[in-house]
């Protein structure tokens, strides 16, 4: 069972997931990085360019999902270095520090809240979010093109690309595509017909929506949502 709530860290989400039975899970790209807790392990989930498929015996997971563009500064690792990866935090931080944090979470009455406390401390000790990155997300998520976004922010195209690689793991064009996918999924989950979802999310047509969903999520939209048609 999956559940989430708003974090005390602005823009972040705290989530838990305990699958009820063995099977395949699918984490869709969303432009975010997560700090994960799973059976005594602390990990970092890098940004995904395609659906991340999980499987095997069900185990309990918890995570703090950072707002797009903030996780790299909080965790002290460029997003591009953990792109499409799940990495043990001990591979990124001093092992002694990670052991201390693991012990703290394991000994807590509420490990999920303890994990959130760790994320809050990461944010307090790490680099503060660059407000320009929030503007990048807002502009691209509104459907603005990459060139128009760069002009609006007073950046050259190469500058924008470099900053996006560090913060998001990929360039602004890929980020815009992923944000568009998330807009479409939100509309379709609310019951908006697929043809209208395509138009409202910024796709050229329903066929364009279908191609992007299949490529980024790994399955057709109807199958992904557990229903047919549009």
């Amino acid at each position: 069972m999956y559940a989430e709530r708003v974090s005390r860290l602005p823009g972040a989400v705290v989530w838990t997931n305990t699958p009820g039975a063995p099977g395949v899970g699918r984490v869709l790209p969303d432009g975010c990085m997560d700090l994960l807790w799973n059976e005594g392990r602390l990990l970092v989930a890098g940004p995904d360019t395609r659906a991340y498929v999980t499987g095997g015996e069900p185990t309990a997971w918890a995570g703090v999902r950072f707002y797009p563009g903030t996780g790299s500064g909080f965790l002290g690792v460029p997003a591009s270095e953990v792109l499409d990866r799940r990495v043990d935090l001990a591979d990124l931080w001093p092992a002694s520090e990670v052991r201390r944090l693991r012990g703290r979470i394991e000994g807590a009455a509420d490990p999920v809240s303890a994990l959130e406390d760790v994320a809050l401390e990461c944010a307090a000790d790490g680099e503060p979010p660059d407000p320009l990155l929030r503007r990048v997300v807002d502009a691209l998520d509104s459907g603005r093109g990459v060139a128009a976004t760069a002009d609006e922010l007073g950046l050259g195209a190469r500058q924008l690309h470099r900053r996006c690689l560090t913060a998001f793991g990929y360039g602004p064009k890929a980020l815009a595509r992923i944000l568009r996918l998330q807009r479409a999924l939100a509309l379709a989950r609310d019951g908006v017909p697929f043809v209208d979802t395509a138009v409202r999310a910024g796709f050229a047509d329903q066929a364009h929506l279908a191609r992007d969903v299949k490529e980024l999520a790994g399955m057709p939209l109807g199958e992904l949502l557990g229903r047919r048609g549009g």
Side-chain angles (χ1 to χ4, degrees):
M1 178 179 177
Y2 177 85
E4 67 176 43
R5 63 172 171 82
V6 174
S7 173
R8 287 172 283 145
L9 176 63
V13 171
V14 178
W15 59 267
T16 57
N17 189 28
T18 306
V24 173
R26 196 172 295 269
V27 181
L28 303 185
D30 57 9
C32 299
M33 293 174 63
D34 294 55
L35 180 64
L36 306 176
W37 175 252
N38 172 246
E39 298 192 325
R41 297 182 302 158
L42 276 168
L43 305 101
V44 172
D48 295 316
T49 57
R50 299 289 186 274
Y52 185 87
V53 178
T54 64
E57 290 299 316
T59 60
W61 288 81
V64 178
R65 181 175 303 119
F66 300 107
Y67 186 83
T70 62
S72 58
F74 294 159
L75 297 171
V77 56
S80 56
E81 290 188 10
V82 290
L83 185 66
D84 290 321
R85 299 171 62 201
R86 301 319 186 243
V87 181
D88 195 301
L89 187 61
D91 292 336
L92 305 173
W93 287 15
S96 59
E97 174 66 6
V98 176
R99 281 196 301 272
R100 183 185 70 80
L101 294 175
R102 285 202 309 260
R104 173 178 162 187
I105 295 172
E106 287 179 323
D110 181 0
V112 178
S113 292
L115 177 67
E116 183 182 17
D117 288 340
V118 170
L120 285 163
E121 291 173 11
C122 289
D125 296 339
E127 296 180 10
D130 183 346
L132 182 141
L133 297 173
R134 181 66 179 253
R135 293 175 62 193
V136 170
V137 174
D138 289 344
L140 295 176
D141 199 27
S142 72
R144 232 178 244 105
V146 173
T149 297
D151 288 343
E152 180 181 314
L153 300 178
L155 295 174
R158 290 183 179 179
Q159 285 180 301
L160 178 61
H161 189 81
R162 283 197 301 270
R163 294 178 80 156
C164 283
L165 283 180
T166 298
F168 304 107
Y170 27 66
K173 186 175 180 180
L175 176 62
R177 191 176 180 217
I178 287 167
L179 294 173
R180 185 176 60 192
L181 169 72
Q182 289 294 333
R183 291 197 303 274
L185 292 175
L187 290 166
R189 285 170 179 146
D190 283 343
V192 177
F194 292 173
V195 64
D196 296 328
T197 289
V199 173
R200 290 172 58 179
F203 291 86
D205 51 30
Q206 188 175 344
H208 182 199
L209 166 66
R211 288 194 302 272
D212 259 26
V213 171
K214 185 68 180 294
E215 184 173 345
L216 295 174
M219 61 173 57
L221 181 57
E223 185 179 346
L224 184 65
L225 302 179
R227 63 184 175 88
R228 292 185 177 184

